[in-house]
Amino acid sequence: MLTLRPEHYDAMVATAIRALPNEGCGLLVGDAEGKVSRIVPSHNVADSAKIYEIDPKVLLRTFREADDAGENVLGVFHSHTHSEAYPSPTDIAQAPDPEWHYVLVSLRDLPTVVRSFRIRTGEVTEEVVSVTV
Amino acid sequence: MAVKVRIPTVLRSATGGRATMDVTATTVGEVLAAISSEYPNVQEQLFNTDGSLHRFLNVYINDDDVRYLGGVTAAVADGDEVTLLPAVAGGATA
């Protein structure tokens, strides 16, 4: 399960909208139980509507800060502008960490859809996203 | 040269959960060899079979990507911090 506060949810959707027409992306930081403490938006350095890549400098800074604070980079979010909120074959093939949460924000339909997945050795499992104040 | 290495969570299953290591090395290649020698299971996650650095692995000396510093031959100095991180990317189409 991924646990978010409403502002984290809003931050991911806002990042996705601001990145249009490209995919938007960013990192989730929090504790080992999947409780998010902050969202770190990243420029999509792929500058593309079809692919995303987290700015390596943002990842480096965020990883060090989280490590020093006893937190973890919990996962990554990115948007799909014209397809459903489900990991693409590329997302699955390139998923960097089996412990991560992979959040997809789809802007294809209204209202915006936010879903979260675990990706382990190519196997995708959806998890509950709990938004609590 | 005494160098601190930060190990990403994805590699910690191969390092028994260890998050940092202090190693003695003069180049990035020696840093990675020191990690691989202590934790052999890390090796295949760092290197391709031809010995080159894995495409999805980013290695930094302090704030600098070693790809722009000569890769595994990049020199490390006393007190440098070497950080290993996966590339984080994907796409909507295959």
Side-chain angles (χ1 to χ4, degrees):
Chain A
M1 183 169 78
L2 186 69
T3 308
L4 305 164
R5 291 198 303 270
E7 60 265 35
H8 301 138
Y9 190 100
D10 291 347
M12 292 192 290
V13 174
T15 302
I17 291 169
R18 287 199 187 102
L20 284 170
N22 293 336
E23 291 192 2
C25 57
L27 298 166
L28 294 83
V29 175
D31 68 18
E33 275 66 57
K35 187 174 179 189
V36 172
S37 63
R38 65 190 174 104
I39 297 291
V40 183
S42 169
H43 175 59
N44 174 4
V45 294
D47 279 326
S48 165
K50 306 248 175 179
I51 57 172
Y52 81 96
E53 183 173 355
I54 299 283
D55 183 342
K57 296 246 180 242
V58 171
L59 178 63
L60 179 64
R61 191 188 69 227
T62 305
F63 172 68
R64 281 188 188 150
E65 287 172 358
D67 223 26
D68 289 342
E71 293 189 305
N72 294 316
V73 175
L74 287 186
V76 60
F77 73 93
H78 77 281
S79 60
H80 284 173
T81 59
H82 293 89
S83 56
E84 66 174 328
Y86 192 85
S88 70
T90 315
D91 294 334
I92 296 165
Q94 297 186 3
D97 191 324
E99 298 305 314
W100 272 16
H101 303 259
Y102 295 87
V103 176
L104 270 294
V105 178
S106 173
L107 301 178
R108 183 182 66 179
D109 305 309
L110 286 173
T112 304
V113 177
V114 177
R115 297 166 71 186
S116 184
F117 303 87
R118 311 306 288 267
I119 303 175
R120 293 192 172 111
T121 57
E123 191 177 322
V124 178
T125 313
E126 183 158 13
E127 64 175 350
V128 171
V129 178
S130 169
V131 182
T132 55
V133 287
Chain B
M1 307 294 174
V3 176
K4 178 184 172 186
V5 185
R6 287 191 195 247
I7 297 158
T9 49
V10 66
L11 293 182
R12 289 180 198 170
S13 58
T15 63
R18 197 161 171 191
T20 61
M21 271 181 81
D22 294 308
V23 303
T24 303
T26 59
T27 64
V28 164
E30 289 179 17
V31 170
L32 300 178
I35 302 168
S36 302
S37 123
E38 188 152 351
Y39 301 106
N41 291 340
V42 170
Q43 183 151 2
E44 65 184 35
Q45 299 191 63
L46 300 181
F47 298 104
N48 298 312
T49 46
D50 66 1
S52 59
L53 270 183
H54 201 287
R55 190 182 137 213
F56 293 115
L57 177 77
N58 293 320
V59 182
Y60 298 88
I61 301 173
N62 303 317
D63 291 338
D64 298 313
D65 189 330
V66 302
R67 284 193 185 87
Y68 305 108
L69 300 171
V72 291
T73 65
V76 291
D78 245 352
D80 275 349
E81 185 171 290
V82 171
T83 304
L84 311 180
L85 284 175
V88 182
T93 52

